[in-house]
Amino acid sequence: MNNQGGGKLFDRSAFIYQPEPDTFLCPAGQVLKRQQISRKDRSVYYAGRREICGVCPLKSRCTVGAQRMVSRHWHDEALQRMQQRATPEAMLLRRSTVEHPFATLKYHIFGHPRFLLRGRRGAQAEMSLAVIVYNLKRMMNVLGRPQLAAALTPA
């Protein structure tokens, strides 16, 4: 989506990325070259040349500025693949297989929806313990206590 021009300007999907020269091709057929890199946004910004954008017949549908800028995330290919896989069927499957165990961990094992330990390592340790407890409870429900105890005792 284009955040300029009240929604009447071309959005990014109208621009074609060309991986080999690392440029974008605008709807008028002009090349937008790499202008700058933003580490904060993890994006690369591409810009058209002012002298070409200024006389372009599509300028009124493209930009309100002197030149058009288009951004591209560093991991754009992976984000596109992920978006393609996020079909309604896949989301329904995810909801039925992943969300229930996560909610169980969050509310029944932790007892509340927040981690008690601080920092990434603390949260990782707390989550690992919760997953072990969840898996042991599931195994006990599926196998039963005697079979689980027998399976866990050293041979």
Side-chain angles (χ1 to χ4, degrees), residues 132-149:
I132 289 170
V133 169
Y134 177 81
N135 287 335
L136 286 171
K137 281 184 167 183
R138 288 281 296 145
M139 287 175 22
M140 190 168 53
N141 288 335
V142 171
L143 296 176
R145 272 182 207 232
Q147 286 88 356
L148 179 60

Side-chain angles (χ1 to χ4, degrees), residues 19 23 64 77 80 91 97 116 118 121:
T23 59
V64 293
E77 295 91 6
Q80 295 294 332
M91 294 288 87
T97 57
L116 297 175
R118 290 186 184 196
R121 293 185 79 167

Side-chain angles (χ1 to χ4, degrees), residues 50-84:
R50 291 176 189 261
E51 57 272 8
I52 293 175
C53 288
V55 297
C56 180
L58 299 178
K59 183 178 190 291
S60 63
R61 294 176 49 205
C62 187
T63 184
V64 293
Q67 68 192 45
R68 178 60 191 252
M69 298 276 290
V70 177
S71 66
R72 182 172 184 276
H73 194 274
W74 289 349
H75 306 292
D76 198 54
E77 295 91 6
L79 292 170
Q80 295 294 332
R81 287 192 310 270
M82 187 172 63
Q83 192 67 27
Q84 289 172 349

Side-chain angles (χ1 to χ4, degrees), residues 74-143:
W74 289 349
H75 306 292
D76 198 54
E77 295 91 6
L79 292 170
Q80 295 294 332
R81 287 192 310 270
M82 187 172 63
Q83 192 67 27
Q84 289 172 349
R85 286 194 313 256
T87 62
E89 297 83 22
M91 294 288 87
L92 184 63
L93 179 63
R94 174 190 166 158
R95 194 174 322 131
S96 63
T97 57
V98 175
E99 299 295 336
H100 181 346
F102 187 73
T104 301
L105 285 172
K106 197 170 171 184
Y107 292 104
H108 297 294
I109 294 175
F110 288 149
H112 50 80
R114 301 205 192 291
F115 289 113
L116 297 175
L117 301 174
R118 290 186 184 196
R120 183 174 153 201
R121 293 185 79 167
Q124 195 171 25
E126 192 173 343
M127 190 65 175
S128 295
L129 288 171
V131 168
I132 289 170
V133 169
Y134 177 81
N135 287 335
L136 286 171
K137 281 184 167 183
R138 288 281 296 145
M139 287 175 22
M140 190 168 53
N141 288 335
V142 171
L143 296 176

